[in-house]
Amino acid sequence: MKEKLWGGRFKSFTDKNVDEFNASIGFDKRLWREDIEGSLGYCRALGKAGIISEDKVEVISDALKEIYREIEKGDFSFDEGMEDIHTHIEKALIDKVGDIGETIHTGRSRNDQVALDTRLFLRASIIEIDRVAREFQLSLVEVAEKHLDWIIPGYTHLQRAQPVLLSHHLLAYYEMLKRDRQRYEEVLQRTNILPLGSAALAGTTFGLDREFLSRELKMDGITSNSMDAVSDRDFVAEFIFTSALLMMHLSRLCEELILWSTEEFNFIEISDSFATGSSIMPQKKNPDIPELIRGKTGRIYGNLISVLTMMKGIPLTYNKDMQEDKEPIFDTVDTVKNSLGIFTLLLKEIQFKRNNLYGAVEKGYLVATDLADYLVRKGMTFRKAHYVVGDIILAAQKKGVEFNDMNLNEMKSFSALIEDDIYEAIKPFSCINNRNIPGGTGIEMVKAALNKAREDLKL
Ligand code: ARG
């Protein structure tokens, strides 16, 4: 059955249901660029090894480039009977140049070929994701700079805890994204390694200069074990894991924006162009975009579990199960890129409500720790100070007032150490600027963090 690449030992045609079920072309056609790029490099390496003469290398290269242009223009037809992208490109090559084209697969298997294509695809995707992640960070930095000295409540357990700068809060996400980008960089190092030369599983019998081919394809080295090279997809799993973490970070910020835009918090307003309405309730303005990003995080977790589960029981080496990695990979790349892209735009469409943010800091004894620290500076131990401030809070709550509303005599009744400098010490701004410690919310520290971020983002 010669119409299949592997048809030599078959006596009958493949059942069309099998063709349909087996085919990956419906989704792996997306690897066409990488497949051609890989074959271009591979034929040069075959030329260098003396397996294909240099003039035939030229003929094959020209034909591959022509196929590239045809696909780019949409002048190429994909057909389920031809299984996958590798088969399509090889067939198209043979259609163009006949016997010469039949030499391209010498010493190569689709097993090492698909590993290469996947690695090249992820390389390009990681570079692209890194670019959009950087844009997102830049947007965070810009919003932080614009609101440098705005004060908001910092929370633990979703209870108001201590005053912090809005810029400090936003830069927390900058840091998360910075680590996400570092993780992608590390994944890229392990991904950008050449598997070709491994052939089906045991290595090719043709003397291929793998280091040369690795350089041709701008890769950072060659795989060290042919069986590992064709059968592991750990680089796929770690790419999706890194993406899952990044999405988790985005999702947390989304959750905050959703909360902050409620009537209950009333900290922000998302511009009309980035919100949607309800078909029945005329008063509604819904934060659909952050909700969707939060929701899509689940898809990426699902993709990670799909790939890990798909891999866990397959014996060495290649097994067709591994074809199931493609859709999770493509979905992850698209979801992460789109989420970062829309989030970058959304950030610029958020209006923070300064008075409401500050109002929330003024109520609920957020400066209680600072009152205790004040007593410590006057000579009390911290544990005693904690109790004293606890007593003050109980009294204030009973009267329904804040610390500021209590006069000095009332204050002094809890500790003689309290003097009239107390009111300055518990102003939210003082509390913030008392935290001029590296990593803290003091304004000088946040300015330094912003400068550092700007510097890092220049790269
Ligand atoms: N479509 C296959 C995949 O994605 C390509 C490799 C097929 N190899 C094989 N021996 N059938 O994994």
Side-chain angles (χ1 to χ4, degrees):
M1 293 299 109
K2 293 285 184 298
E3 104 283 5
K4 290 273 194 288
L5 288 179
W6 38 258
R9 51 101 67 218
F10 285 75
K11 295 205 190 78
S12 63
F13 289 109
T14 322
D15 186 293
K16 78 171 185 357
N17 294 299
V18 172
D19 268 344
E20 238 172 65
F21 191 73
N22 197 33
S24 53
I25 189 63
F27 46 88
D28 73 10
K29 61 174 165 233
R30 197 163 161 181
L31 295 174
W32 65 270
R33 283 190 193 81
E34 290 73 20
D35 201 74
I36 294 176
E37 189 186 347
S39 286
L40 279 168
Y42 192 61
C43 81
R44 286 195 292 276
L46 288 178
K48 185 163 186 279
I51 292 150
I52 306 183
S53 65
E54 285 303 330
D55 49 327
K56 286 183 181 156
V57 169
E58 282 303 306
V59 175
I60 293 174
S61 301
D62 288 347
L64 284 170
K65 286 176 193 159
E66 212 175 294
I67 296 168
Y68 191 103
R69 287 191 293 272
E70 284 167 15
I71 300 181
E72 210 170 30
K73 271 198 269 157
D75 288 348
F76 190 93
S77 66
F78 295 97
D79 152 24
E80 257 175 22
M82 277 203 289
E83 230 176 304
D84 54 26
I85 188 63
H86 327 296
T87 313
H88 275 76
I89 304 291
E90 187 176 331
K91 281 266 193 194
L93 178 65
I94 294 168
D95 284 349
K96 279 193 192 301
V97 300
D99 285 3
I100 300 176
E102 291 184 7
T103 56
I104 186 69
H105 212 52
T106 312
R108 187 177 71 175
S109 158
R110 281 184 297 162
N111 299 352
D112 55 353
Q113 193 177 358
V114 73
L116 174 73
D117 291 6
T118 308
R119 286 170 182 272
L120 292 177
F121 179 82
L122 282 180
R123 176 176 76 182
S125 302
I126 290 172
I127 292 169
E128 182 58 15
I129 289 174
D130 185 66
R131 190 185 65 76
V132 282
R134 180 185 165 279
E135 292 288 312
F136 178 71
Q137 283 183 302
L138 203 57
S139 211
L140 280 171
V141 166
E142 279 164 9
V143 179
E145 275 168 347
K146 212 169 127 194
H147 304 90
L148 175 64
D149 60 355
W150 290 34
I151 301 181
I152 66 166
Y155 291 81
T156 64
H157 311 269
L158 203 54
Q159 307 286 323
R160 288 178 195 169
Q162 290 178 344
V164 291
L165 291 178
L166 172 56
S167 45
H168 192 56
H169 188 121
L170 292 170
L171 286 180
Y173 286 98
Y174 169 87
E175 292 297 325
M176 296 175 217
L177 264 289
K178 181 173 169 175
R179 291 190 299 277
D180 290 330
R181 290 180 63 201
Q182 286 166 350
R183 269 184 283 269
Y184 276 123
E185 176 64 38
E186 285 162 22
V187 175
L188 180 60
Q189 283 169 27
R190 282 184 287 277
T191 299
N192 198 25
I193 304 291
L194 179 88
L196 287 186
S198 305
L201 72 157
T204 171
T205 57
F206 298 94
L208 195 75
D209 186 344
R210 298 187 66 213
E211 295 288 357
F212 164 80
L213 181 50
S214 151
R215 284 193 300 276
E216 285 287 287
L217 293 175
K218 301 193 170 48
M219 300 190 95
D220 297 324
I222 61 174
T223 53
S224 308
N225 179 301
S226 61
M227 297 180 78
D228 173 46
V230 295
S231 76
D232 207 351
R233 293 292 182 269
D234 53 359
F235 63 98
V236 171
E238 62 175 326
F239 167 75
I240 304 180
F241 169 71
T242 300
S243 303
L245 264 189
L246 179 141
M247 288 298 291
M248 180 267 276
H249 290 146
L250 297 189
S251 184
R252 294 185 71 183
L253 181 53
C254 286
E255 172 69 12
E256 296 195 313
L257 296 179
I258 292 162
L259 285 172
W260 290 355
S261 66
T262 58
E263 201 58 44
E264 285 73 6
F265 274 83
N266 201 12
F267 285 177
I268 61 168
E269 168 106 25
I270 297 175
S271 77
D272 282 2
S273 57
F274 267 72
T276 56
S278 156
S279 60
I280 177 169
M281 297 168 283
Q283 86 284 10
K284 291 297 292 291
K285 181 165 165 186
N286 297 327
D288 288 28
I289 300 303
E291 285 170 343
L292 272 172
I293 298 172
R294 187 178 61 181
K296 284 174 192 294
T297 304
R299 290 167 71 119
I300 308 306
Y301 292 5
N303 291 340
L304 178 61
I305 297 300
S306 295
V307 168
L308 289 175
T309 313
M310 178 269 286
M311 289 300 295
K312 85 178 179 56
I314 54 185
L316 298 188
T317 54
Y318 179 82
N319 295 262
K320 196 63 174 258
D321 315 41
M322 290 155 76
Q323 178 165 288
E324 289 294 309
D325 67 352
K326 305 293 174 310
E327 287 154 301
I329 291 175
F330 298 146
D331 184 65
T332 301
V333 169
D334 293 341
T335 305
V336 169
K337 253 169 55 181
N338 294 339
S339 301
L340 280 167
I342 192 94
F343 210 158
T344 304
L345 300 175
L346 170 69
L347 280 179
K348 302 182 210 290
E349 299 295 325
I350 296 169
Q351 192 211 326
F352 291 90
K353 299 182 178 177
R354 189 169 198 162
N355 291 341
N356 294 358
L357 289 165
Y358 194 71
V361 169
E362 283 181 312
K363 285 206 183 62
Y365 317 105
L366 279 82
V367 297
T369 316
D370 298 80
L371 184 47
D373 288 356
Y374 169 91
L375 291 170
V376 169
R377 274 193 283 275
K378 300 272 175 175
M380 199 180 280
T381 65
F382 180 76
R383 194 47 58 208
K384 282 208 179 68
H386 193 289
Y387 282 121
V388 169
V389 177
D391 284 341
I392 302 178
I393 289 171
L394 280 178
Q397 276 175 336
K398 212 163 155 194
K399 286 179 68 182
V401 298
E402 295 294 320
F403 294 143
N404 273 332
D405 304 317
M406 301 171 92
N407 66 32
L408 189 57
N409 280 342
E410 272 177 289
M411 284 288 204
K412 269 191 175 304
S413 70
F414 295 97
S415 165
L417 291 174
I418 297 180
E419 291 166 278
D420 61 0
D421 56 353
I422 183 63
Y423 296 104
E424 187 60 33
I426 60 171
K427 280 189 180 149
F429 256 119
S430 319
C431 300
I432 282 170
N433 283 327
N434 279 339
R435 291 176 169 77
N436 266 322
I437 179 153
T441 192
I443 196 156
E444 290 313 315
M445 292 301 140
V446 176
K447 276 187 196 160
L450 279 167
N451 285 340
K452 174 85 173 58
R454 280 262 175 218
E455 226 169 78
D456 288 350
L457 289 175
K458 264 195 210 117
L459 302 172

